[in-house]
Structures are given as structure tokens and as C-alpha cells.
Amino acid sequence: MPQAVLALGLAAVTVSGAVWYLPALADLRAGADRPVSRRGAATACVSGWTTSGIVAALLLVSRSWWTPCAAAVAGAVVTVGLRARAAVQRRRETRESARGWAELGRAQQGPGPARARTVVALLIGLGPAAAVVALGAVVVPEPTADRWPVAFLPAAVVGLSLAAAVAYLRMTRSAHRRRPGTVARRR
């Protein structure tokens, strides 16, 4: 009698496992629309739940424990093997996808947004720094009236650095828009 109770419990668990094996069956039915690794994982899922159903049936009809136990072990070995194979295939697909994206990224290299921001920040930051150094070197030691026209030199340096920053930023943005495969964003 304990085998019948165990068979009933295992059958109930197998039926409630539909939340896993029905989507797996849908993946298998989709065929080539799904990646190979996903179909392999679906095969492992269906194999495991099928094993559960077979063991439940064997528990009802068999008088010994050996037959259901042997079926359970064989099914577990097959399921684990299929799942391991699917995991290896998934790693292969991930590496292949990463390689493809890396090659795509190398084909479209140029002055990217991060580099453009760095150059613009340097140009904007070095302009005022050069102005302060020039002002300190020219005007502070001897603040005479004839040196004040030279004090306007730092303002010119700041203006030129800002103009260079804006020009560089525009150049990199227009180059990015012209590159094939990129989409210009509107702001």
C-alpha cells in the first residue's frame, strides 16, 4: 500500500509541474525560432517531468521497489546530462554573441561621447587655469598701468579655449551622425 500512496503523491506533483513542462513543450514546438540552448533546456525539463510520470506509473504496477528506482535513476541521469549540455551550449552562444557585438563596436569606433566629454572638459578647464597663471605672472608682481592691457590676454585664452571646446564638440557630434548604422538623437 505505501507504493500506491507514493504513486498518488508523485502523480499529483507531476500534474502540478505543468507550469514548467508546458512552456518547455511550447519551446520545443517552436523549433528553430528558439536558440539551441533553450531547446536543450526544454528537452531536459520535459525529460525530468516525463521521468516523474513514468516512476509514478511504475509505482502503481510494480510489486518491487527496484523497477521504479532504476527508472528514476536513469531518468535523472538523462535529465542532468541534457541540462548540462544545454548550459554548455548557452555559454557558447553567449560568447559568440559577445564576439559579434565586439566586432560591431570596433567597426564603428571613432571619437566616442566619453572621449569628447573628456576633451571638452580639459579645454574648458585649462582655459581659465591658463588665464589665472598668465594674470598671476604678468599683473600681480607689478600692478602698473602699462601692464593692464596684457591682463586681457587671459580673457582671450579663456575665449579661445571655450571656442575650441565648442568646435570639437560639434565636430564629434556631426561625425557620429554621419557614421553608418548610428541614429542621431534629437533633443
Side-chain angles (χ1 to χ4, degrees):
M1 190 66 176
Q3 281 184 333
V5 172
L6 189 59
L8 182 63
L10 193 55
V13 168
T14 302
V15 169
S16 67
V19 295
W20 287 288
Y21 63 77
L22 289 179
L25 286 171
D27 284 344
L28 289 174
R29 188 167 180 188
D33 288 343
R34 302 286 191 270
V36 175
S37 64
R38 189 162 171 182
R39 291 190 313 248
T43 304
C45 178
V46 170
S47 169
W49 286 107
T50 303
T51 300
S52 175
I54 290 172
V55 169
L58 287 175
L59 281 171
L60 281 176
V61 296
S62 177
R63 297 210 185 268
S64 71
W65 287 92
W66 293 106
T67 309
C69 289
V73 169
V77 167
V78 169
T79 301
V80 168
L82 288 171
R83 185 64 185 126
R85 184 175 169 208
V88 168
Q89 182 64 32
R90 174 71 179 154
R91 272 188 255 129
R92 269 191 215 132
E93 289 171 357
T94 303
R95 279 194 307 265
E96 183 180 328
S97 177
R99 226 175 313 160
W101 281 107
E103 288 175 11
L104 181 64
R106 266 188 251 122
Q108 295 182 357
Q109 279 186 350
R115 181 174 172 214
R117 282 191 297 262
T118 304
V119 170
V120 168
L122 283 174
L123 287 172
I124 289 174
L126 288 179
V132 168
V133 168
L135 187 62
V138 174
V139 176
V140 172
E142 290 182 42
T144 59
D146 63 335
R147 294 205 178 226
W148 280 106
V150 179
F152 290 109
L153 180 66
V157 170
V158 170
L160 286 174
S161 69
L162 289 176
V166 169
Y168 183 80
L169 194 57
R170 285 187 178 179
M171 179 186 69
T172 56
R173 281 188 179 167
S174 66
H176 183 69
R177 285 188 194 124
R178 285 192 303 254
R179 208 175 311 144
T182 60
V183 177
R185 291 185 301 191
R186 291 190 170 196
R187 293 182 185 214

